Amino acid sequence: MTKKLTSFLVLSLCFVSTLAAQNRYIDEVFTSVTVENDVTYSINVDPLAISQGATGPTPQLMDVYQAEGDTAGLRPVVVLFHTGNFLPQYFNGGPYGSRNDSAVVEITNRLVKRGYVGIAATYRKGWQPTAAADSIRTGSLLQAVYRASQDAHALARYLRKSVAEDGNPYRIDTSRIAFFGIGSGGYVVQAHNFLDRTDEILQNINFYTPSGIPLVNESVNSNPQGTILTMQNVPNHVGYKSNVAFTYNLGGALGDTLWMDGASEEAPVASMHSLTDPFAPFHAGTVIVPTNPPMPVVDVLGSNLVTQRANESGLNDVLAPANDLMLDLKFGITARALNLINAQYKMVTTGSPISTATNDIFQLGQDNLWTILRLPADPDNPDPNDPNVGDAGATSGLQNWFDEPTLRGTIAAINLAVPNAMLDADAIIDGEDQTNPNRANPVAAKTFIDTVMAHFIPRAYFALDIDGLVSSTNDLVSNQQIGLEVFPNPVSDGFTVRTAENHPIRSLRIMDINGRVVMNLTEVNATSRFVNRGNLPRGTYLLQLQSDEGTTARKLILD
């Protein structure tokens, strides 16, 4: 059955949309992208860096992508977290693990050309994958995911701080932040989204040592948000919220569905995952780390089960239109084809062919999940030695590719520069060949990314309420350009907003530090307006003003 469905997929995705309309946030409307590299979003204790000689907290960096010529006032932002097994690139046994991974750069560029702000972020790494004791492998990996998700929280707070205190240098709408995790980055964004209390971890007996000691201790590791100072954590940007509006994972898993407790700040979630992913289970099973030899680490829940729970709980209700079998063709014919194929997947029950998975029988498809199936074997010319076809073999990371001569040169340089590195380029390449038929074929990898975009874009559109995006096509203007005055500020009972003559205020809105609109005044049509604070509590807010020239903003403090 799965072979027939996969054949249907291959045929369906051969169609090319002939629609001519260009829709921002759906189609590519820009041609050039600029990148600001190495922006520090947090500084924190990094055990890996300390093991390499660091003597204090280490900067965590991100690259910010923006479209050239984009004059929109406020824009949604998508943050990508790369793969890499929570270990340094190449030392993790694989060719990937940085902000410069081929898939990260390709996907970020595609999103930015559609009008998003794109961010490619790194995070803290380091654990003990080859430790003999199961509890050490499990504990050190859990702590690595925990630290990385704390970094994700810090990044979300950094973005909100940049709006409230730094003049919004990237012109982002903080109510429309999406996190996108690839591979190990999928673990990061899932933990960020669902793990909000340490006691959620302590409900799982797998997260204790054999002697009953919890593998995560808040007094040592801080809270999941990383806002408590401990020996292993430095709080960053405390006072700003760290939730996001949408979470998307391409691979990865969640430590425990008990973390999905329906908290108000949990975001809708959508996923793509290979049925035969050997490293992170599609439904449920054991994490396997591709060391030599491969090592089992801990049982986790995969995208199929997480997405099912999110759908059933109502968390994903906002995504319902994206699953419509007659999805608006403005999203492209491929996006609609995925929904039609997924409707067939939903009628199939199966188990995992991966030996480390549970023996559960489950539904092959879920709304908001795209199930990646392997290519069927060629019935006319079968190759029993090809690891990339057939029902039972492992498939993962089809979005990735690399240049082999460059990799070999990089490995040789590392081996010369780093004592006892002993990296094996042949082993890294052979390992990738076992699961990724696209590793030397960027055309095929980019074709797979076409499918990623067709699945992600409609769900991001509805999760981020792109239809309701205010001033998405308006210019951003300076306060000086329209003579903006706001007084008094700080505010007790109310404040006056005033602009220069011939620059009337059309609308005003006030947003809290979470990006939520708490006051909206339309049809002002005057150069002066007194605003009563009403019942708004004390705190820092963002006042956004719309004029004929465009959008501007000012930090507002209510006493």
Side-chain angles (χ1 to χ4, degrees):
M1 179 64 176
T2 57
K3 284 188 177 183
K4 292 180 180 178
L5 291 174
T6 308
S7 299
F8 178 40
L9 166 65
V10 172
L11 291 173
S12 299
L13 298 188
C14 288
F15 290 106
V16 178
S17 175
T18 58
L19 301 181
Q22 295 292 297
N23 297 286
R24 183 178 177 129
Y25 304 118
I26 297 175
D27 304 304
E28 292 191 1
V29 294
F30 298 99
T31 57
S32 299
V33 174
T34 63
V35 185
E36 181 181 355
N37 297 112
D38 299 332
V39 177
T40 297
Y41 70 83
S42 73
I43 300 176
N44 216 323
V45 179
D46 187 337
L48 180 63
I50 290 173
S51 73
Q52 296 171 341
T55 58
T58 304
Q60 301 306 313
L61 304 176
M62 65 183 192
D63 299 334
V64 182
Y65 293 61
Q66 301 181 79
E68 286 188 3
D70 186 2
T71 59
L74 293 177
R75 304 169 292 179
V77 56
V78 183
V79 182
L80 278 86
F81 296 89
H82 59 76
T83 191
N85 303 321
F86 299 97
L87 293 168
Q89 187 175 12
Y90 309 123
F91 291 90
N92 58 15
Y96 318 111
S98 82
R99 290 169 285 148
N100 296 317
D101 287 351
S102 54
V104 172
V105 173
E106 179 71 17
I107 293 171
T108 307
N109 271 286
R110 292 197 192 195
L111 290 169
V112 171
K113 289 178 180 179
R114 286 168 164 82
Y116 289 90
V117 177
I119 293 176
T122 192
Y123 47 86
R124 287 174 290 170
K125 308 174 184 71
W127 63 292
Q128 301 178 59
T130 59
D134 292 346
S135 61
I136 294 177
R137 292 199 304 275
T138 299
S140 61
L141 178 58
L142 177 62
Q143 291 168 13
V145 176
Y146 195 78
R147 285 191 297 269
S149 66
Q150 288 173 331
D151 293 338
H153 280 284
L155 197 158
R157 291 195 297 269
Y158 172 84
L159 294 178
R160 290 189 167 93
K161 175 181 177 290
S162 75
V163 172
E165 300 183 21
D166 304 327
N168 199 1
Y170 306 119
R171 308 200 320 272
I172 62 172
D173 184 339
T174 56
S175 67
R176 294 179 168 88
I177 302 173
F179 276 1
F180 188 131
I182 301 174
S184 306
Y187 288 88
V188 176
V189 301
Q190 293 277 25
H192 166 272
N193 193 28
F194 294 116
L195 179 60
D196 48 29
R197 303 187 316 277
T198 308
D199 61 13
E200 291 176 330
I201 296 176
L202 303 182
Q203 298 175 77
N204 190 324
I205 61 172
N206 291 321
F207 296 144
Y208 288 81
T209 68
S211 58
I213 300 173
L215 297 178
V216 170
N217 185 326
E218 191 165 296
S219 66
V220 176
N221 308 106
S222 189
N223 59 359
Q225 295 77 24
T227 55
I228 298 173
L229 177 64
T230 70
M231 289 290 291
Q232 295 189 14
N233 182 75
V234 176
N236 285 262
H237 324 306
V238 177
Y240 293 95
K241 290 288 188 178
S242 57
N243 59 301
V244 299
F246 182 45
T247 295
Y248 193 89
N249 63 286
L250 177 50
L254 183 67
D256 197 330
T257 52
L258 292 173
W259 302 355
M260 303 174 70
D261 60 359
S264 60
E265 293 186 348
E266 290 181 355
V269 58
S271 309
M272 292 184 70
H273 207 129
S274 170
L275 176 66
T276 54
D277 187 333
F279 309 123
F282 172 77
H283 184 79
T286 303
V287 174
I288 299 295
V289 180
T291 52
N292 188 16
M295 300 288 282
V297 183
V298 64
D299 293 337
V300 295
L301 294 313
S303 299
N304 186 61
L305 188 54
V306 171
T307 308
Q308 176 188 338
R309 297 283 174 84
N311 293 341
E312 292 172 350
S313 70
L315 180 63
N316 281 348
D317 285 354
V318 69
L319 304 181
N323 298 290
D324 195 322
L325 297 184
M326 297 303 292
L327 180 66
D328 193 326
L329 283 176
K330 71 181 181 182
F331 294 108
I333 196 168
T334 302
R336 183 187 284 187
L338 296 183
N339 288 354
L340 292 169
I341 298 165
N342 191 55
Q344 300 297 312
Y345 288 175
K346 288 160 63 176
M347 294 189 292
V348 176
T349 56
T350 187
S352 175
I354 299 299
S355 61
T356 54
T358 61
N359 293 322
D360 297 326
I361 299 298
F362 48 81
Q363 195 170 284
L364 181 63
Q366 309 284 346
D367 284 343
N368 306 307
L369 169 70
W370 178 246
T371 303
I372 302 165
L373 297 180
R374 294 167 60 81
L375 295 173
D378 183 350
D380 298 322
N381 188 27
D383 181 358
N385 298 316
D386 187 344
N388 298 305
V389 297
D391 286 338
T395 301
S396 180
L398 300 180
Q399 69 279 356
N400 296 313
W401 75 92
F402 61 89
D403 178 70
E404 184 173 327
T406 300
L407 181 139
R408 289 187 180 279
T410 301
I411 295 298
I414 293 173
N415 284 336
L416 285 173
V418 179
N420 301 314
M422 296 185 292
L423 296 178
D424 187 338
D426 288 334
I428 290 173
I429 294 168
D430 291 346
E432 186 69 4
D433 280 337
Q434 296 305 306
T435 59
N436 179 14
N438 298 340
R439 67 95 174 159
N441 189 343
V443 173
K446 291 177 182 180
T447 298
F448 177 78
I449 291 174
D450 292 342
T451 304
V452 174
M453 301 305 292
H455 192 254
F456 173 82
I457 290 297
R459 286 155 186 86
Y461 190 93
F462 291 107
L464 302 178
D465 186 25
I466 297 299
D467 275 338
L469 183 59
V470 178
S471 68
S472 65
T473 59
N474 294 328
D475 291 339
L476 189 72
V477 298
S478 68
N479 294 341
Q480 293 79 10
Q481 185 176 341
I482 61 172
L484 176 64
E485 298 178 84
V486 180
F487 59 90
N489 188 15
V491 177
S492 295
D493 299 319
F495 60 94
T496 297
V497 184
R498 181 182 295 166
T499 54
E501 188 177 358
N502 299 324
H503 296 287
I505 303 163
R506 298 307 181 189
S507 64
L508 294 167
R509 68 174 182 170
I510 300 174
M511 295 182 291
D512 64 17
I513 60 173
N514 303 322
R516 290 188 291 261
V517 177
V518 296
M519 184 180 295
N520 194 25
L521 303 176
T522 59
E523 299 182 3
V524 176
N525 301 328
T527 56
S528 182
R529 175 67 179 262
F530 178 78
V531 180
N532 194 308
R533 72 179 288 176
N535 296 321
L536 290 179
R538 296 178 61 186
T540 301
Y541 295 83
L542 185 71
L543 172 67
Q544 187 182 91
L545 179 149
Q546 183 68 40
S547 68
D548 293 337
E549 289 76 18
T551 303
T552 191
R554 175 72 66 84
K555 181 179 178 180
L556 191 68
I557 299 175
L558 302 188
D559 283 341

